[in-house]
Amino acid sequence: DALARLRQRPDVIVAEPNYVFQLRIADTSALPNDPRFNEQWALSRIGATNAWALSSGSSNVVVAVLDTGIRYTHEDLAANMWRNPGEIPGNAIDDDGNGYVDDVFGIDPVNDDSDPIDQPVGFTYHGTACASIIGAVGNNGRGMAGLDWSVRLMALRVAAASNFISSAWAAEAFEYVLM
Protein backbone atom coordinates (compact mmCIF):
# COMPACT_ATOMS: atom_id res chain seq x y z
CA ASP A 1 0.00 0.00 0.00
CA ALA A 2 2.81 2.40 0.88
CA LEU A 3 4.46 1.87 -2.51
CA ALA A 4 1.19 2.51 -4.35
CA ARG A 5 0.62 5.76 -2.39
CA LEU A 6 4.21 6.92 -2.96
CA ARG A 7 4.10 6.22 -6.70
CA GLN A 8 0.97 8.40 -7.03
CA ARG A 9 2.73 11.45 -5.58
CA PRO A 10 3.98 13.94 -8.19
CA ASP A 11 7.18 14.65 -6.21
CA VAL A 12 8.25 10.95 -6.21
CA ILE A 13 10.12 9.78 -9.30
CA VAL A 14 10.76 6.17 -8.25
CA ALA A 15 9.51 4.09 -5.34
CA GLU A 16 10.78 0.58 -4.63
CA PRO A 17 10.41 -1.88 -1.78
CA ASN A 18 13.12 -1.96 0.85
CA TYR A 19 14.92 -5.13 -0.25
CA VAL A 20 17.10 -6.84 2.32
CA PHE A 21 20.29 -8.53 1.16
CA GLN A 22 22.61 -10.84 3.01
CA LEU A 23 26.34 -10.59 2.47
CA ARG A 24 28.03 -13.85 1.56
CA ILE A 25 30.95 -14.31 3.91
CA ALA A 26 33.46 -17.08 3.33
CA ASP A 27 32.09 -20.16 5.03
CA THR A 28 34.95 -21.39 7.18
CA SER A 29 33.16 -24.70 7.68
CA ALA A 30 33.88 -25.34 3.98
CA LEU A 31 37.64 -24.99 4.48
CA PRO A 32 39.50 -28.25 3.91
CA ASN A 33 41.53 -29.89 6.67
CA ASP A 34 44.54 -30.42 4.39
CA PRO A 35 47.69 -29.36 6.30
CA ARG A 36 49.23 -27.38 3.43
CA PHE A 37 46.04 -25.52 2.48
CA ASN A 38 47.25 -22.36 4.24
CA GLU A 39 50.18 -22.26 1.77
CA GLN A 40 47.79 -22.18 -1.19
CA TRP A 41 47.22 -18.42 -1.25
CA ALA A 42 45.84 -18.49 -4.81
CA LEU A 43 42.74 -20.47 -3.83
CA SER A 44 41.70 -17.84 -1.30
CA ARG A 45 42.52 -15.07 -3.74
CA ILE A 46 40.16 -16.42 -6.42
CA GLY A 47 37.38 -17.08 -3.92
CA ALA A 48 37.55 -20.89 -3.90
CA THR A 49 36.51 -20.89 -0.26
CA ASN A 50 33.25 -19.16 -1.20
CA ALA A 51 32.67 -21.66 -4.01
CA TRP A 52 33.29 -24.60 -1.68
CA ALA A 53 30.47 -23.35 0.55
CA LEU A 54 28.17 -24.21 -2.38
CA SER A 55 29.97 -27.22 -3.86
CA SER A 56 33.37 -28.85 -3.61
CA GLY A 57 33.07 -30.39 -7.07
CA SER A 58 31.81 -33.38 -8.98
CA SER A 59 33.21 -36.71 -10.08
CA ASN A 60 31.05 -36.36 -13.21
CA VAL A 61 33.54 -33.82 -14.58
CA VAL A 62 36.66 -34.93 -16.46
CA VAL A 63 39.44 -32.39 -17.02
CA ALA A 64 42.04 -33.28 -19.64
CA VAL A 65 45.41 -31.93 -18.49
CA LEU A 66 47.75 -31.43 -21.46
CA ASP A 67 51.13 -30.82 -19.87
CA THR A 68 54.26 -32.69 -18.74
CA GLY A 69 52.08 -35.57 -17.53
CA ILE A 70 50.62 -36.24 -14.08
CA ARG A 71 52.13 -38.27 -11.28
CA TYR A 72 49.01 -40.37 -11.01
CA THR A 73 50.35 -42.13 -7.89
CA HIS A 74 50.46 -38.84 -5.93
CA GLU A 75 48.59 -39.15 -2.62
CA ASP A 76 46.35 -36.16 -3.40
CA LEU A 77 45.73 -37.09 -7.04
CA ALA A 78 45.47 -40.89 -7.23
CA ALA A 79 41.83 -41.01 -6.13
CA ASN A 80 40.84 -38.37 -8.69
CA MET A 81 42.60 -39.80 -11.71
CA TRP A 82 40.37 -40.58 -14.68
CA ARG A 83 40.49 -44.26 -15.52
CA ASN A 84 39.75 -45.56 -18.98
CA PRO A 85 36.69 -47.76 -18.42
CA GLY A 86 37.47 -49.89 -21.48
CA GLU A 87 41.02 -50.80 -20.48
CA ILE A 88 42.22 -53.62 -18.22
CA PRO A 89 45.43 -52.39 -16.54
CA GLY A 90 48.67 -54.28 -17.07
CA ASN A 91 47.52 -56.96 -19.50
CA ALA A 92 49.50 -55.53 -22.47
CA ILE A 93 46.37 -55.60 -24.66
CA ASP A 94 44.50 -52.75 -26.33
CA ASP A 95 41.22 -53.83 -24.72
CA ASP A 96 39.12 -50.96 -26.02
CA GLY A 97 40.58 -51.01 -29.54
CA ASN A 98 41.52 -47.33 -29.54
CA GLY A 99 45.11 -47.92 -30.69
CA TYR A 100 46.70 -47.56 -27.25
CA VAL A 101 47.76 -50.48 -25.06
CA ASP A 102 47.01 -50.12 -21.33
CA ASP A 103 46.03 -46.45 -21.58
CA VAL A 104 44.55 -46.46 -18.10
CA PHE A 105 45.15 -42.79 -17.13
CA GLY A 106 45.69 -41.24 -20.57
CA ILE A 107 48.51 -41.21 -23.12
CA ASP A 108 52.01 -39.90 -23.75
CA PRO A 109 52.41 -38.83 -27.39
CA VAL A 110 55.93 -37.57 -26.59
CA ASN A 111 57.19 -41.10 -25.97
CA ASP A 112 54.53 -42.67 -28.19
CA ASP A 113 53.17 -44.81 -25.36
CA SER A 114 50.34 -45.04 -22.85
CA ASP A 115 52.17 -43.96 -19.70
CA PRO A 116 51.53 -40.25 -19.07
CA ILE A 117 53.55 -40.17 -15.83
CA ASP A 118 54.90 -36.68 -15.18
CA GLN A 119 58.41 -35.97 -16.42
CA PRO A 120 60.26 -32.96 -14.99
CA VAL A 121 60.86 -29.91 -17.13
CA GLY A 122 63.81 -28.21 -15.54
CA PHE A 123 63.30 -28.69 -11.81
CA THR A 124 59.52 -28.84 -11.81
CA TYR A 125 56.84 -31.41 -12.37
CA HIS A 126 54.58 -28.84 -13.98
CA GLY A 127 51.76 -31.18 -14.98
CA THR A 128 51.40 -32.58 -11.47
CA ALA A 129 51.41 -29.05 -10.03
CA CYS A 130 48.68 -27.92 -12.44
CA ALA A 131 46.63 -31.07 -11.84
CA SER A 132 46.89 -30.44 -8.08
CA ILE A 133 45.45 -26.96 -8.43
CA ILE A 134 42.63 -28.31 -10.57
CA GLY A 135 41.75 -31.40 -8.61
CA ALA A 136 43.76 -32.48 -5.59
CA VAL A 137 41.46 -34.36 -3.23
CA GLY A 138 40.36 -31.87 -0.58
CA ASN A 139 39.44 -32.30 3.04
CA ASN A 140 41.31 -35.60 3.35
CA GLY A 141 43.81 -34.45 5.97
CA ARG A 142 46.74 -34.74 3.53
CA GLY A 143 48.80 -32.31 1.48
CA MET A 144 46.72 -29.68 -0.27
CA ALA A 145 43.30 -29.10 -1.81
CA GLY A 146 42.35 -28.55 -5.44
CA LEU A 147 39.54 -26.43 -6.83
CA ASP A 148 37.39 -29.51 -7.46
CA TRP A 149 37.88 -32.14 -4.76
CA SER A 150 36.42 -35.03 -6.75
CA VAL A 151 37.05 -34.19 -10.42
CA ARG A 152 38.47 -36.83 -12.76
CA LEU A 153 41.89 -35.88 -14.17
CA MET A 154 42.91 -37.28 -17.57
CA ALA A 155 46.69 -37.22 -18.04
CA LEU A 156 48.02 -36.26 -21.46
CA ARG A 157 51.77 -35.76 -21.67
CA VAL A 158 52.48 -33.33 -24.53
CA ALA A 159 55.58 -31.54 -23.17
CA ALA A 160 59.03 -33.07 -23.47
CA ALA A 161 61.71 -32.76 -20.79
CA SER A 162 63.58 -30.55 -23.25
CA ASN A 163 60.79 -27.98 -22.74
CA PHE A 164 59.30 -28.49 -26.22
CA ILE A 165 55.70 -29.14 -27.20
CA SER A 166 54.89 -30.45 -30.65
CA SER A 167 51.62 -29.46 -32.29
CA ALA A 168 51.39 -33.08 -33.47
CA TRP A 169 51.59 -34.29 -29.85
CA ALA A 170 48.91 -31.81 -28.81
CA ALA A 171 46.69 -32.81 -31.76
CA GLU A 172 47.05 -36.49 -30.83
CA ALA A 173 46.08 -35.65 -27.25
CA PHE A 174 42.99 -33.72 -28.40
CA GLU A 175 42.00 -36.63 -30.64
CA TYR A 176 42.34 -38.97 -27.67
CA VAL A 177 40.06 -36.74 -25.57
CA LEU A 178 37.43 -36.81 -28.32
CA MET A 179 37.68 -40.61 -28.57
Side-chain angles (χ1 to χ4, degrees):
D1 288 342
L3 280 174
R5 285 193 311 271
L6 285 170
R7 288 180 178 144
Q8 290 176 353
R9 291 178 49 157
D11 58 332
V12 174
I13 297 171
V14 175
E16 292 185 0
N18 181 21
Y19 296 106
V20 177
F21 299 92
Q22 183 176 9
L23 294 175
R24 188 168 227 8
I25 308 296
D27 182 355
T28 56
S29 68
L31 295 179
N33 63 9
D34 304 280
R36 297 189 67 189
F37 172 70
N38 62 341
E39 298 172 33
Q40 295 181 273
W41 60 267
L43 294 178
S44 295
R45 186 166 184 159
I46 65 169
T49 54
N50 291 329
W52 291 331
L54 301 174
S55 172
S56 59
S58 170
S59 61
N60 293 325
V61 175
V62 177
V63 175
V65 181
L66 283 75
D67 209 304
T68 60
I70 299 176
R71 186 160 58 96
Y72 44 79
T73 58
H74 188 284
E75 70 175 354
D76 265 339
L77 298 176
N80 283 354
M81 290 305 301
W82 170 83
R83 285 169 178 76
N84 183 343
E87 203 62 51
I88 298 170
N91 68 355
I93 297 172
D94 179 11
D95 300 295
D96 57 7
N98 67 359
Y100 300 95
V101 174
D102 290 337
D103 55 314
V104 177
F105 302 110
I107 60 168
D108 177 357
V110 176
N111 287 328
D112 196 27
D113 64 31
S114 300
D115 187 10
I117 192 76
D118 201 353
Q119 302 292 318
V121 173
F123 296 105
T124 65
Y125 290 85
H126 193 266
T128 297
C130 289
S132 296
I133 293 167
I134 296 165
V137 176
N139 208 34
N140 64 349
R142 297 184 195 152
M144 60 184 73
L147 288 170
D148 185 326
W149 298 353
S150 56
V151 70
R152 297 289 167 233
L153 299 163
M154 180 188 293
L156 301 157
R157 183 169 179 252
V158 298
S162 59
N163 212 20
F164 286 100
I165 297 174
S166 158
S167 57
W169 296 335
E172 184 177 350
F174 282 118
E175 286 182 22
Y176 183 83
V177 170
L178 294 174
M179 253 192 305

